[in-house]
Structure formats: C-alpha cells, structure tokens
Amino acid sequence: MVLRHFLTVNYAYCQCRCRDFRRSAPAGFDVFLLDWGEKQSEGRLTISDYVQRIEQAVELIDNFTKTEKISLYGYSWGGTLSLIYCALHNNRIKNLILQSANLDFDKDYTIIAEWMRNFPIGKFKDEYKEMFGHFIDLAFLMRNPVLRSTDRIKYALDMKEYEPFQFIQNLVKIGAWITNTPDIPGQLFEQFAIDLYQKNQLIKNQLSIQKKGKVNGLKETTRVNLKEITVPILNIVGTNDDLVAPSSSKPISDSVSSKDKKTIEFPSGHIELCISHDAHQNLWPEVVNWLLSK
C-alpha cells in the first residue's frame, strides 16, 4: 500500500513541534500533528509566523517521508491558518481538508464572533501582551453559563461509551481538553480580532502576510489570494456549530479556484464533530473515503 501522509493543524496549534503519530489508521494514513506547543512567551508572533511554522512542518514531513506532497487538515482557527498557508503554497499541498474553519467573518453570528468584533484588543494587548488561555475558556463558558457548565457531561454522553470506567475516563479527558486553551501571543490575537473578525480581510483577498522571497530568501509582503488555491478541497461544516457559524465556513468552496471541491454538512456542534459517536460512525468514514479517492 502506498503510504499517505497528512499534517493536521489543530484549533489551538503553534510551535513547529511536529509530533509523529506512528499509529497509521486502517486506511493507511500517517498523521502528523502540529499544535500550540508550550506556553508562548513571544507576544510578537503574528499570523505570518504561524504560517511559516506550517511551512517548516511541511518541510520536516517531506524530508522524513521522502514524499513530494502531503494533505493538510485544519480545525477551527487552524483551518483558517491552513487556508492562508495553502493560498501561499498551493504547490506544496496535495489535498486540503477543513473542519469548522472561519472564512467570512461578517457572517459569523456566534457570541464569540460578536465579542471579538467589539473587544478592546489594543488596550488589552498593551496591558497584558498576550491573550490568556483561561480568559478564553471563561469566554466559552459565559456564552451560556448554565448550559455550558454541563458541556463535559454532554460530550462524554455523545461518545456513547457507557461502561463506568470508560465514561469517567472520557469525562476527565474532555474536561482537560476544553479547559486547557493555551495563551495566545498578543499580536496574533490582535490580527485575528482586527484583520479578520472586524475587517474581514481574508475573504476579500486583502490580508497581507510576510513570507520568504523565492530569490533572496528575505521576507516580503504579499496579499493572500484564495483564488490561488487549486488543490482538491473538502470542507466539513457542523450545522449546529455555535463557535464557528456554518454561514462563515460554507463560502470557502466559492472562494477558491479548486475544481475538485466538496462540502459535508453534518448535524453536529463544534466539539461533537471530533469526538461524538455519530461523527465517528457517519462522518469520518466519508472523509476517509474522500481522501482514498485522491
């Protein structure tokens, strides 16, 4: 079987610390995860820096696997960063898979998006330099304190593993996951808040990114043009997502030049897309079949 490799960029990913999960799935995929890493102390890191770290991870995987192209999968903000990366490095990617990824921020009607559009980011960054992870966790809770306080139980029940020990284990893992958001560098958070949520620059092809020049290797400023994306693209949208509105994600297919593009709308929320029993039974086999067909 020909090995297939793909890099997954998580919701809260950072540092080019590419972990190799050598547990290939039955379909034959080698999965590499790029996540936030340890606590960020460099408040000056920008979207450009994070996109560059995706490029570093892609090069690392290419050297390790001796393959020319890999599939790139991005979840939530990681999906937005993956879109930006693919627009700048389309020739490095075989397939692009996005899950709950923001694009048209004007159409994101969630409470989080509304707060981001009105957040006094300049004053906050001047005072604290970075956005604290526990502040974001608190914001997720304050969307609806009564309902959201029972999330970990709801998600564990959605997994439909009712054996007591397994259920408690899932409960603990989910609790650790959804309340452990890492700190986000101030400039990165400011760019997401102002350039994306407030000015909606990405879908307008107005977002400026610094990247290495092809000739001298020096950094140069370039506009992110989504029409440069021509690779096969799979867009996974949770129709009940209250962290990234479906209306923000669905325009992705109309904003790229890819001829091979598919959108899966699944009746699920943001977290349930990842861990629920229904998603694993009905969504992910479809995603795997799509990848196997490429």
Side-chain angles (χ1 to χ4, degrees):
M1 177 181 291
V2 178
L3 286 177
R4 307 168 182 86
H5 312 283
F6 71 90
L7 171 65
T8 174
V9 182
N10 196 6
Y11 153 71
Y13 99 96
C14 181
Q15 307 228 11
C16 187
R17 187 186 59 169
C18 199
R19 289 156 49 195
D20 172 15
F21 290 83
R22 299 307 295 176
R23 302 176 182 176
S24 298
F29 295 101
D30 286 338
V31 182
F32 300 81
L33 173 64
L34 184 60
D35 65 15
W36 284 107
E38 302 301 326
K39 182 182 186 300
Q40 290 296 332
S41 59
E42 303 172 79
R44 297 182 300 276
L45 290 176
T46 65
I47 289 177
S48 299
D49 295 312
Y50 281 65
V51 171
Q52 176 60 29
R53 289 179 176 189
I54 297 178
E55 173 67 2
Q56 292 170 353
V58 170
E59 291 179 355
L60 182 65
I61 295 170
D62 286 349
N63 292 334
F64 181 70
T65 62
K66 309 302 181 185
T67 189
E68 294 182 1
K69 294 184 178 182
I70 64 172
S71 294
L72 179 64
Y73 160 86
Y75 173 37
S76 197
W77 276 18
T80 303
L81 292 169
S82 297
L83 263 174
I84 296 170
Y85 172 80
C86 198
L88 299 174
H89 303 279
N90 182 78
N91 62 322
R92 300 295 303 273
I93 298 301
K94 181 179 180 181
N95 307 295
L96 178 62
I97 307 99
L98 303 170
Q99 176 187 334
S100 301
N102 293 86
L103 173 61
D104 191 343
F105 289 81
D106 284 349
K107 292 182 179 179
D108 193 339
Y109 52 77
T110 62
I111 294 175
I112 294 295
E114 191 62 29
W115 287 343
M116 290 288 284
R117 283 189 282 266
N118 293 277
F119 191 78
I121 180 62
K123 293 180 179 179
F124 189 92
K125 186 171 73 72
D126 289 343
E127 180 68 24
Y128 298 107
K129 311 306 179 187
E130 60 187 2
M131 171 52 68
F132 304 121
H134 64 260
F135 190 90
I136 296 175
D137 293 335
L138 178 62
F140 290 160
L141 175 64
M142 292 306 295
R143 290 175 295 152
N144 186 326
V146 175
L147 181 63
R148 299 273 75 91
S149 63
T150 62
D151 272 350
R152 65 188 69 192
I153 298 175
K154 176 183 180 297
Y155 298 147
L157 289 172
D158 285 339
M159 297 177 74
K160 297 184 179 179
E161 295 179 345
Y162 302 126
E163 192 277 323
F165 179 79
Q166 186 63 55
F167 179 81
I168 293 174
Q169 190 176 49
N170 290 338
L171 200 63
V172 171
K173 290 180 179 179
I174 292 168
W177 179 31
I178 66 176
T179 59
N180 193 33
T181 301
D183 296 339
I184 299 176
Q187 281 196 241
L188 175 72
F189 190 81
E190 182 178 42
Q191 281 188 294
F192 260 89
I194 296 177
D195 295 345
L196 300 182
Y197 280 95
Q198 297 176 17
K199 296 182 179 179
N200 203 21
Q201 290 184 346
L202 183 56
I203 196 170
K204 298 175 182 177
N205 295 323
Q206 296 175 355
L207 182 67
S208 295
I209 293 291
Q210 285 193 326
K211 59 176 291 190
K212 286 185 178 180
K214 295 181 179 179
V215 179
N216 52 23
L218 299 177
K219 286 188 176 181
E220 57 185 29
T221 300
T222 184
R223 288 284 182 91
V224 177
N225 183 0
L226 297 175
K227 292 298 182 183
E228 294 294 326
I229 299 177
T230 61
V231 299
I233 182 169
L234 176 64
N235 186 23
I236 305 168
V237 178
T239 57
N240 302 324
D241 196 330
D242 64 345
L243 286 177
V244 176
S247 53
S248 175
S249 299
K250 286 192 284 189
I252 290 172
S253 296
D254 296 328
S255 302
V256 300
S257 298
S258 306
K259 295 181 179 179
D260 184 350
K261 48 192 175 182
K262 179 178 181 179
T263 298
I264 299 177
E265 296 185 53
F266 194 77
S268 177
H270 196 82
I271 302 296
E272 295 93 327
L273 279 174
C274 298
I275 63 176
S276 72
H277 177 268
D278 289 344
H280 282 278
Q281 288 293 309
N282 301 307
L283 170 63
W284 294 109
E286 185 175 355
V287 174
V288 168
N289 287 335
W290 184 86
L291 276 169
L292 289 173
S293 69
K294 304 307 167 188

